[in-house]
Amino acid sequence: MAKDFAIGIDLGTSTSEICYYRRDATTPIPDPGSKIPVVPSIVAVNQKGELLVGENARGYVDKKGQGIREVKRLMGSSEKVVLNDKEYRPEEISALILRKVKENAEEALGEEIKDAVISVPANFKDPQRQATLNAAELAGLKVLRLINEPTAAALAFGINNIDAEEELVVFDWGGGTLDITVLEMISGV
């Protein structure tokens, strides 16, 4: 099957999502285990020393030294994450989350995913944006574009209301930020 869709990822502070855009419609991709299109942005190590991501990590994430939540807050910093006495850079943990949603998409679509657009907070500085690009590369993704989260929220509304002519205020209630975008839509622009 020829690729006729685009992939978008929200690498979120609390949860991460992946959607595809095909034939003028967006479709969120559910996690095969939970059947919901939201993957908790958590990583943990179980008793066997295996790294777990998302729902599978939930039972271990709050055990001291075994899990991490909200690693996005550390992106672009020199801080390390320690899981079972092993150190990880924040982008390595984020890569595990990106790989999880990528694998979910590959299973749902029956096709390898290589390219994606990833949303980032509007207030992310260059080191944080570079860390996100590094995480994507570690996950096997080529980032076509990093897009600010409030812009992504505005575009998500606008794509479904392309013929509307109005001024809008779009709120993005994220796990780590609250952003607002003022949007004017005129003649499909």
Side-chain angles (χ1 to χ4, degrees), residues 10 19 23 32 59 81 87 104 109 117-118 120 122 124 153:
D10 177 14
C19 291
R23 294 185 205 97
V81 174
E87 286 189 348
N104 289 354
L109 298 170
V117 173
I118 299 178
V120 294
F124 255 25

Side-chain angles (χ1 to χ4, degrees), residues 25-153:
T26 56
T27 305
I29 298 172
D31 181 72
S34 68
K35 306 292 187 234
I36 58 173
V38 174
V39 173
S41 296
I42 57 177
V43 174
V45 179
N46 67 11
Q47 300 95 325
K48 297 177 184 177
E50 301 167 321
L51 285 168
L52 306 173
V53 180
E55 286 298 331
N56 294 336
R58 200 177 286 282
Y60 302 94
V61 71
D62 293 323
K63 294 180 180 177
K64 187 174 171 119
Q66 284 188 258
I68 179 76
R69 294 178 183 273
E70 300 181 355
V71 72
K72 184 174 174 179
R73 296 178 191 277
L74 302 177
M75 293 294 277
S77 75
S78 59
E79 290 188 48
K80 301 286 190 232
V81 174
V82 179
L83 301 176
N84 266 12
D85 299 322
K86 185 174 178 190
E87 286 189 348
Y88 298 88
R89 296 183 330 271
E91 57 263 35
E92 290 175 304
I93 299 297
S94 290
L96 295 170
I97 298 164
L98 286 169
R99 189 173 300 124
K100 171 69 173 149
V101 296
K102 175 185 182 287
E103 289 169 356
N104 289 354
E106 290 173 338
E107 183 176 326
L109 298 170
E111 192 166 328
E112 184 179 12
I113 303 299
K114 294 181 181 177
D115 302 329
V117 173
I118 299 178
S119 64
V120 294
N123 66 351
F124 255 25
K125 305 289 186 234
D126 285 341
Q128 294 162 306
R129 290 172 187 274
Q130 186 59 54
T132 303
L133 292 170
N134 295 345
E137 184 178 338
L138 289 170
L141 289 166
K142 176 183 172 192
V143 177
L144 301 176
R145 170 170 261 164
L146 291 178
I147 187 168
N148 290 338
E149 290 169 351
T151 303

